[in-house]
């Protein structure tokens, strides 16, 4: 989206700046600005501080690629998890959803995207070389014995699963796909934990 | 809404802080935080700065009560406007809508709310004494000859118009109400400029 010329006044600049938020158009941005200034200036100040802090301190886990303030994230640092199982998801939101099922105790790799040629998203953009390094470098001496593909059941998610599955299988790695208990065309972030838990249990070998 | 315990990590604090925005629940807040960190860190930093700046510098116009960075706002400082006409609106967003019709060249008073006993909003909360002072103190020697009530056609907006109308008429001030060209139950912020322009033209004396 093209940014317009910066407004001259602080209120105008705030309304313009709020439009960086996904799904927020000019009218919502105006409503948010007026609401904050009229009803919650403390909340607005806290939001300013939290945004600044997060931008400064949040990077990516060197191991699983998710957002992390430390070089290795809390999940990857947890030695009670099974390093022989690796679940691949598109986004941190999807990882949160899988965690909430309490039915997966392995590790993760977060692609931070999906293969989508039309959007210029290829293997490089989903950090495929880092994923391969991750799989080929044993954690605490334990090799990955199964990769669980938990990308979305959208066409891009399926293409991503297919691509990763083909390459990993050619290297002799066991690859499974979570079961299609999730509605076709649906996104992980919007299903209930029970459905997702069953999809994890019913995961099947990629033929 | 009760705030939960502050999360320990910067990402968690950002997600929590985003919930001060109207209409943003836990899921939208998470999506916004992930989006900003992944795709628009510059925009997030600019938003942080704009929020801080607006909280510091935006106050209320001493004359019309709308948001302003200066003691008297730009509209009230504009001597090409007709100080004998005073339009009363509920919010700055409504004032923006009236301005966009290009069919009102008087001044404004922004109530920053509406009378709503159930929400604890009475004459004090809509700054009714400041409105009376505003009407009784001539601007540049020119008295207010007509007050245009442009509150919403919701039940609260109608009650607000009724209350203000009764008091002002008892003081011998001419009071008009914008025409009911606006759908009953509708809000000014959501109608098109043409409808609102006609409602302004068709304003009628409060009997
Ligand atoms: Zn990690
Ligand atoms: Zn003013």
């Amino acid at each position: 989206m093209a940014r317009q010329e910066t407004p001259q006044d602080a209120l105008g600049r705030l309304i313009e700046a709020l439009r960086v938020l996904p799904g927020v158009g000019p009218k919502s941005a105006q409503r948010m600005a007026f609401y904050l200034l009229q009803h919650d200036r403390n909340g607005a100040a806290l939001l300013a501080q939290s945004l600044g802090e997060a931008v400064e301190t949040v990077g990516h886990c060197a191991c699983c690629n998710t957002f992390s303030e430390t070089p290795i994230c809390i999940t990857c640092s947890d030695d009670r998890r099974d390093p022989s199982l690796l679940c691949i998801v598109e986004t941190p939101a999807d990882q949160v959803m899988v965690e909430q099922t309490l039915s997966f105790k392995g590790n993760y790799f977060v692609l931070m995207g999906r293969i989508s040629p039309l959007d210029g998203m290829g293997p490089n953009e989903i950090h495929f070389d880092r994923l391969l390094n991750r799989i080929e470098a044993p954690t605490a001496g334990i090799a990955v014995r199964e990769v669980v593909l938990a990308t979305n059941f959208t066409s891009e998610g399926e293409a991503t699963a297919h691509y990763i599955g083909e390459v990993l299988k050619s290297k002799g790695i066991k690859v499974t796909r979570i079961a299609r208990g999730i509605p076709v065309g649906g996104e992980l972030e919007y299903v209930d934990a029970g459905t997702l838990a069953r999809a994890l249990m019913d995961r099947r070998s990629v033929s």
Side-chain angles (χ1 to χ4, degrees), chain A residues 114-126:
Chain A
R114 77 259 340 133
I115 290 178
S116 175
L118 287 177
D119 303 317
M121 296 288 290
N124 271 340
E125 284 67 34
I126 61 167

Side-chain angles (χ1 to χ4, degrees), chain A residues 60-68 71-77 95 108 134:
Chain A
H60 291 272
C61 172
C63 188
C64 74
N65 200 40
T66 199
F67 291 125
S68 178
I72 305 292
C73 76
I74 293 166
T75 311
C76 291
S77 310
Q95 183 187 1
Y108 290 92
R134 172 80 180 77

Side-chain angles (χ1 to χ4, degrees), chain A residues 3-10 12-14 16-17:
Chain A
R3 294 268 160 75
Q4 292 171 346
E5 212 178 310
T6 308
Q8 301 255 315
D9 60 306
R13 280 191 295 272
L14 173 57
E16 185 63 26

Side-chain angles (χ1 to χ4, degrees), chain A residues 144-201:
Chain A
V144 172
R145 72 175 161 78
E146 181 183 342
V147 170
V148 182
L149 298 172
T151 54
N152 288 315
F153 280 93
T154 56
S155 57
E156 290 94 349
E158 291 277 44
T160 305
H162 181 77
Y163 176 84
I164 296 174
E166 290 300 306
V167 177
L168 296 186
K169 279 188 296 175
S170 77
K171 291 176 180 288
I173 296 160
K174 180 182 176 188
V175 180
T176 56
R177 180 85 167 105
I178 55 171
R180 198 183 283 269
I182 296 158
V184 174
E187 298 186 358
L188 262 70
E189 206 183 330
Y190 298 97
V191 303
D192 64 281
T195 306
L196 188 51
R198 202 171 47 200
L200 275 161
M201 275 187 302

Side-chain angles (χ1 to χ4, degrees), chain A residues 50-64:
Chain A
S50 303
L51 279 163
E53 189 195 4
V55 166
E56 285 296 313
T57 64
V58 178
H60 291 272
C61 172
C63 188
C64 74

Side-chain angles (χ1 to χ4, degrees), chain A residues 7 9-19 29 32-34 36-37:
Chain A
D9 60 306
L11 180 57
R13 280 191 295 272
L14 173 57
I15 294 171
E16 185 63 26
L18 280 163
R19 296 191 53 193
M32 285 174 168
F34 289 166
L36 290 177
L37 289 171

